[in-house]
Amino acid sequence: MTKDALLEIGSEELPAAFIKLGMDQLKSLAESSLKEHSLPHESISVYGTPRRLAVVVMGLPDRSLEQRKTIPGPPASKAKDPAGTWTQAAVGFANKHGLEPQDLVVENDRLSAVMNIKGTATKQLLAQLFPQWIGLCQFPKTMSWEESHFRYPRPIRWITALYGHDLVRFQIAGVTSGKVTHGLGIQSSKHIAIAQPAKYAGLLKNQCVMVEPATRQDAIRRLADQAVKRAHGQVLLSESLLEHVSNLVEHPVAVLGSFDARYLDLPSEVLTTCLEHHQKFFPVIQGTGRPPKLMAHFIGIRNGMSLHQEIVREGYERVLAARLADARFFYNQDRKTKLEVKAEALKGVMFQEKLGNLFEKKERVKGLLSYLASTLKAPWLQEAERAADLCKADLVTDMVREFPELQGTMARIYALADGESKILAEALEEHYRPVTLSGPLPTSEIAAAVALCDKIDTLAGDFAVGLIPSGSADPYGLRRAAVGVLRILEARSWPVQLEDLIEKAVALLPASAAGSGTVSKLVEFMRQRLGAILEERHYKSDEFDAITFGGVGLIHQTVSRLDALHQIRGQGQFDALAAAFKRASNILRQARPKGFEISADWIGVMGVKEETLKEASEQALFVKVRDIQEPVLTQFEAGSTREALELLSTLRVPLDQFFEGVMVMVEDKVVCANRLALLGGIVNLFHKVADFSKLQNA
């Protein structure tokens, strides 16, 4: 017979961002620990609101399963002495586990104790596991509030813990578990008895607490649509805001509010920011135009019953009116001077102590743009430099100081108002892209160029002064910046060597920021970031290492070469070819200490004396390499990596025959050197495409 279990952690109101995080962790912890303790179950459901996180485990048996556990001990070779007597090591290990030495078994050449561990009563086991789950949940910020100094995002006020009808008793953070939960907000003093864990969500819903985030989101959609009908408009429901708001309430109620229509002449982005980011209100729009036309209404979501709606609405409107008045004042103040005038104020905004101010940063960006435009032979340098001059100017505006989330957006709005071109204005906003690791890229070439140069300057500067990410810590967002650089270069297919771009960026840094090894450190960091991106696309790490052994180079070509290698690797003869290549590389490596070194200029049969080739297999290999070396190089330079690899694959048979019929390291130094030159030319020819020695299992 199985029973269900419930753990609910009741607390003061959690930050909205912590609820999904807590739910995900509870589910993961429950799954892993139940498996570890051999406690089977049917399903696990997690719930979360601002005042509670909960997990319900369905179908738990009365006891955990019996386990057979093998504990390794000392090496079997030390089990007995020469006389055949059990050693002290064996006797001590056996006694430690309550066994006789003869009861021990040998597994993997070690004495091992095989223990049959009986199952534990589920209720007893849950009393151990529940507090562990609570304690193991990790949150960005925690606090302690009682004598044991237990840490949690907010003080824990109650814990509900059940196995079937029975209480699972334990204590944590000074709170003893019980069989009751609490209701909604102001009614929280009301105790609600829970008789069956499986009915937890339904019982609380009847008490006006929706414990499922999806249920609250559906309710907000439905209630908002009902409320907005009175305004004859439509609710603009941002999914991210919907998720956030749903985690601010346990029982949502929609309130239709309005604001003075004269504020509609503010830019829609400003209005939307005031409504969504600051007040967590949903804008109301009219019609289906693009962009949507805002109305002087909004939908606010309150927590609780539909009581005193007018008072709540008046409060919402009063707070929003103050925010909109501030926005109008800041906007009007900013419009008194043009962006190009504001750019001078960047001299007073420090970027980093050793790297100077933002004005100096944008001058470095212009230097990088000049290098980039010259490399690309692009006609847009003048407009791109203009974008670089203005791209940070909105950071000193009153609007962005008050609404930081509008940086870039206000630069575009003000630039258009100043009469700048649309493409330039959009570049000011888009030069921050991608904002997230997978976010949209800049749409125009000018925007992409400014974004690339801005990010590479930031990376070079931070690496030069030692602000390098370590572990999971990345306070300056350098991993995101690196991914942005790589994604832009790949998407644009620009013929810009990553290493050259980094060297130029480091060269433009002020002398005060000079750091040893900055270029090599940043190149390796970028290589690792590119590897991580491509692993997510299911390319193998050893394939990436094989392609980038000589450097990253042109990003789009590197990705193309990697794709070709990945595809051809699945062919039957490829592993044998890679193994032959490795054998050739090993022979060359062994020859170096003896004074023989292959020139990097020797490609194919260059440096090989045909008249010195004695054996039929080496002559056949020479002819084959001579025939394909020019086509391989031609295909590679044309970007046809797959075709180059297919040509190289034709060397498998003659290489195998060469190794079967020829001894390379012979006493005749002339013959030996010639055979090494042939192998060296082949290896260098392969290196034009990839270093096959990096490939595993080949």
Side-chain angles (χ1 to χ4, degrees):
M1 180 178 176
T2 62
K3 298 178 184 177
D4 309 322
L6 164 69
L7 170 65
E8 181 190 58
I9 312 152
S11 67
E12 295 183 10
E13 291 201 2
L14 296 168
F18 288 12
I19 294 172
K20 186 179 185 302
L21 175 62
M23 290 169 60
D24 290 345
Q25 290 185 88
L26 273 180
K27 186 167 187 178
S28 176
L29 288 165
E31 288 173 342
S32 60
S33 64
L34 291 175
K35 181 179 180 181
E36 179 185 350
H37 291 86
S38 298
L39 192 56
H41 58 279
E42 294 175 4
S43 63
I44 296 175
S45 299
V46 288
Y47 306 95
T49 80
R51 299 187 65 236
R52 67 198 80 218
L53 294 173
V55 55
V56 174
V57 185
M58 304 291 287
L60 289 168
D62 291 337
R63 302 184 70 84
S64 60
L65 302 178
E66 185 174 299
Q67 300 181 62
R68 185 179 184 273
K69 190 174 182 180
T70 301
I71 305 171
S77 59
K78 297 183 179 180
K80 294 182 179 181
D81 61 21
T85 305
W86 291 104
T87 62
Q88 186 58 44
V91 173
F93 177 70
N95 290 341
K96 179 180 178 181
H97 297 286
L99 300 172
E100 295 296 327
Q102 56 268 27
D103 296 329
L104 299 174
V105 299
V106 176
E107 287 195 12
N108 298 322
D109 297 325
R110 302 189 77 85
L111 285 180
S112 301
V114 178
M115 313 290 292
N116 291 316
I117 303 173
K118 293 183 178 180
T120 304
T122 297
K123 180 180 171 182
Q124 177 185 343
L125 189 55
L126 291 177
Q128 301 171 18
L129 296 180
F130 280 174
Q132 290 178 15
W133 297 354
I134 300 172
L136 289 172
C137 283
Q138 302 288 315
F139 296 93
K141 292 183 180 180
T142 58
M143 59 170 53
S144 63
W145 63 93
E146 44 80 46
E147 292 180 355
S148 72
H149 300 294
F150 179 82
R151 300 195 69 84
Y152 197 71
R154 294 293 184 270
I156 295 175
R157 294 308 183 205
W158 78 87
I159 295 173
T160 311
L162 296 173
Y163 174 58
H165 299 289
D166 298 330
L167 170 66
V168 177
R169 189 179 298 278
F170 63 91
Q171 188 179 75
I172 192 169
V175 178
T176 302
S177 59
K179 299 175 68 173
V180 299
T181 185
H182 293 256
L184 175 68
I186 197 169
Q187 300 171 316
S188 61
S189 59
K190 178 182 177 181
H191 290 184
I192 303 169
I194 298 180
Q196 300 179 47
K199 295 185 177 180
Y200 168 75
L203 176 64
L204 279 174
K205 189 173 183 179
N206 291 336
Q207 298 293 327
C208 298
V209 177
M210 301 179 186
V211 294
E212 297 171 298
T215 300
R216 296 195 298 274
Q217 290 181 27
D218 289 342
I220 290 171
R221 288 190 185 94
R222 175 173 47 81
L223 293 168
D225 285 340
Q226 291 174 0
V228 81
K229 287 180 181 178
R230 284 175 286 162
H232 305 289
Q234 296 177 347
V235 185
L236 189 61
L237 281 174
S238 157
E239 287 300 317
S240 60
L241 180 60
L242 177 62
E243 180 180 349
H244 183 87
V245 170
S246 72
N247 286 330
L248 294 173
V249 296
E250 292 192 314
H251 182 82
V253 174
V255 177
L256 175 65
S258 61
F259 56 88
D260 193 326
R262 64 192 178 94
Y263 290 117
L264 290 174
D265 64 358
L266 283 170
S268 60
E269 295 90 346
V270 174
L271 281 173
T272 302
T273 298
C274 289
L275 291 165
E276 292 185 342
H277 289 269
H278 290 265
Q279 305 307 132
K280 312 306 177 191
F281 296 156
F282 295 102
V284 175
I285 59 173
Q286 189 176 48
T288 57
R290 287 290 179 270
K293 184 179 180 181
L294 290 172
M295 299 178 67
H297 296 283
F298 64 88
I299 296 292
I301 303 297
R302 63 169 295 190
N303 186 37
M305 309 300 292
S306 297
L307 301 174
H308 311 296
Q309 291 286 68
E310 284 303 307
I311 296 175
V312 173
R313 179 182 58 78
E314 290 173 4
Y316 284 171
E317 291 175 348
R318 186 166 53 251
V319 174
L320 178 60
R323 178 63 66 178
L324 292 175
D326 287 344
R328 171 172 287 246
F329 173 78
F330 296 139
Y331 181 75
N332 289 337
Q333 286 295 109
D334 289 341
R335 288 294 299 122
K336 291 179 179 179
T337 56
K338 291 188 174 183
L339 268 183
E340 61 184 358
V341 175
K342 294 180 176 65
E344 287 295 313
L346 293 174
K347 294 178 179 178
V349 181
M350 184 63 67
F351 174 59
Q352 204 277 336
E353 183 180 1
K354 294 181 180 179
L355 298 172
N357 54 50
L358 282 178
F359 188 93
E360 292 168 324
K361 175 180 172 56
K362 64 99 172 172
E363 289 298 308
R364 294 196 298 272
V365 170
K366 288 169 66 176
L368 284 168
L369 284 169
S370 178
Y371 164 77
L372 184 63
S374 174
T375 303
L376 301 178
K377 297 180 174 56
W380 42 251
L381 176 59
Q382 186 174 355
E383 196 164 9
E385 287 181 329
R386 176 68 172 170
D389 278 330
L390 302 178
C391 68
K392 304 296 184 185
D394 66 331
L395 297 181
V396 297
T397 63
D398 291 336
M399 186 67 80
V400 172
R401 287 196 186 103
E402 183 68 16
F403 303 100
E405 53 276 353
L406 284 174
Q407 70 175 22
T409 300
M410 295 314 302
R412 170 178 57 79
I413 291 170
Y414 291 149
L416 288 172
D418 290 345
E420 302 287 350
S421 69
K422 182 180 178 182
I423 193 170
L424 184 142
E426 289 176 347
L428 303 187
E429 181 174 35
E430 293 182 2
H431 91 281
Y432 288 106
R433 292 185 181 180
V435 177
T436 61
L437 293 177
S438 57
L441 294 173
T443 55
S444 71
E445 194 163 21
I446 291 174
V450 178
L452 174 69
C453 295
D454 181 50
K455 288 174 174 57
I456 203 70
D457 172 74
T458 297
L459 285 160
D462 283 3
F463 265 70
V465 300
L467 301 177
I468 302 174
S470 60
S472 61
D474 186 16
Y476 302 100
L478 297 187
R479 291 188 178 96
R480 184 175 68 247
V483 170
V485 167
L486 296 168
R487 288 183 60 206
I488 290 170
L489 286 172
E490 180 187 5
R492 289 285 162 183
S493 298
W494 281 336
V496 179
Q497 298 277 348
L498 178 65
E499 292 83 357
D500 293 346
L501 185 62
I502 290 172
E503 285 185 8
K504 182 64 177 178
V506 172
L508 289 171
L509 294 174
S512 58
S516 61
T518 299
V519 172
S520 59
K521 290 176 185 176
L522 183 51
V523 166
E524 178 57 23
F525 176 76
M526 298 294 287
R527 196 188 78 86
Q528 291 174 2
R529 289 299 92 207
L530 180 59
I533 293 172
L534 296 173
E535 273 196 65
E536 290 181 359
R537 301 182 194 175
H538 307 295
Y539 294 109
K540 296 179 180 179
S541 59
D542 62 336
E543 294 169 351
F544 176 75
D545 291 340
I547 289 296
T548 60
F549 79 99
V552 174
L554 304 181
I555 303 300
H556 63 287
Q557 286 189 5
T558 295
V559 175
S560 175
R561 288 165 56 204
L562 176 63
D563 185 66
L565 177 61
H566 181 75
Q567 291 184 39
I568 202 170
R569 191 178 186 181
Q571 297 181 1
Q573 296 184 342
F574 184 83
D575 285 346
L577 176 66
F581 170 86
K582 286 184 178 181
R583 185 173 179 182
S585 297
N586 290 335
I587 292 173
L588 291 170
R589 185 168 57 252
Q590 294 165 8
R592 288 192 189 102
K594 299 178 181 179
F596 188 87
E597 188 71 42
I598 296 296
S599 169
D601 295 331
W602 289 4
I603 303 295
V605 296
M606 289 175 60
V608 180
K609 298 176 182 178
E610 186 176 2
E611 65 275 10
T612 308
L613 301 171
K614 304 297 183 184
E615 304 294 335
S617 57
E618 63 182 333
Q619 292 170 354
L621 180 59
F622 173 87
V623 171
K624 186 63 179 177
V625 175
R626 183 190 61 194
D627 290 345
I628 71 167
Q629 64 181 16
E630 285 303 322
V632 166
L633 294 173
T634 300
Q635 295 288 2
F636 176 73
E637 290 170 2
S640 303
T641 306
R642 183 181 178 86
E643 288 75 8
L645 283 168
E646 288 174 346
L647 283 169
L648 289 172
S649 295
T650 63
L651 289 175
R652 187 190 69 83
V653 173
L655 264 173
D656 286 346
Q657 292 173 347
F658 174 83
F659 287 126
E660 288 174 6
V662 172
M663 173 74 72
V664 177
M665 304 303 290
V666 293
E667 291 185 6
D668 188 325
K669 293 183 178 180
V670 174
V671 173
C672 177
N674 203 50
R675 289 171 179 171
L676 287 170
L678 178 58
L679 291 181
I682 293 171
V683 167
N684 287 343
L685 185 59
F686 271 80
H687 276 171
K688 284 292 183 179
V689 182
D691 183 356
F692 282 42
S693 67
K694 302 289 186 183
L695 299 175
Q696 300 173 7
N697 302 321

